[in-house]
Amino acid sequence: ATTTDDASATAAAAAAVDANGDDEDNNEEYWVEVSKTLAVDVAYDLHSWIHSRPDEYSSSVDEHSRGAILDKWKSFLDWDMELTLRDTPKRERVRLTGVMEDGRVIVKEVETGTTRTLVADYFL
């Protein structure tokens, strides 16, 4: 959510660069400032979205809710595929059984039936 003040500051910086011509130093400073503003805006918006309550959204944006995004992601998974855990002594074979809201996955070992909760990075 870019604020009016942020947009005004960005426009002012652009005007300063234009007034001074194609000066490389001014152009670099401009892009550094634009990058900082963009980074702050993206971080703020992402934080707000992650920590928002479901009642803060109207029904018109339900497809962007955490649950809807997670359900869409789950629809692409092959739940029958065997995966191999890396960085484990036995390199166990597992199958996905669930995905948690924070992105961790629940797997079940093929051989033993042991259930684990992991981050997706543990697969080959």
Side-chain angles (χ1 to χ4, degrees), residues 78-88 90-98 105-124:
D78 179 354
W79 295 95
D80 296 321
M81 179 188 296
E82 284 188 8
L83 302 164
T84 303
L85 296 179
R86 61 178 175 85
D87 298 333
T88 61
K90 297 182 183 179
R91 298 174 58 94
E92 296 89 343
R93 293 178 301 126
V94 296
R95 283 201 175 98
L96 289 171
T97 61
V105 294
I106 303 167
V107 298
K108 189 176 201 176
E109 286 186 32
V110 173
E111 308 245 342
T112 66
T114 302
T115 301
R116 298 182 187 190
T117 303
L118 307 169
V119 292
D121 193 46
Y122 282 98
F123 302 119
L124 290 176

Side-chain angles (χ1 to χ4, degrees), residues 4-20:
T4 304
D5 291 338
D6 291 337
S8 297
T10 302
V17 170
D18 290 340
N20 294 323

Side-chain angles (χ1 to χ4, degrees), residues 15-83:
V17 170
D18 290 340
N20 294 323
D22 218 9
D23 185 47
E24 190 174 313
D25 290 336
N26 286 336
N27 200 19
E28 183 178 330
E29 289 175 20
Y30 165 75
W31 286 111
V32 167
E33 290 306 312
V34 168
S35 298
K36 287 179 184 177
T37 300
L38 179 61
V40 168
D41 289 345
V42 168
Y44 176 79
D45 289 346
L46 184 59
H47 180 271
S48 297
W49 176 73
I50 288 171
H51 295 288
S52 64
R53 295 184 320 268
D55 62 332
E56 291 178 4
Y57 288 104
S58 70
S59 60
S60 64
V61 292
D62 282 343
E63 70 272 8
H64 299 296
S65 70
R66 288 176 289 219
I69 292 170
L70 187 58
D71 289 342
K72 184 68 172 176
W73 190 78
K74 287 179 184 179
S75 74
F76 295 116
L77 296 176
D78 179 354
W79 295 95
D80 296 321
M81 179 188 296
E82 284 188 8
L83 302 164

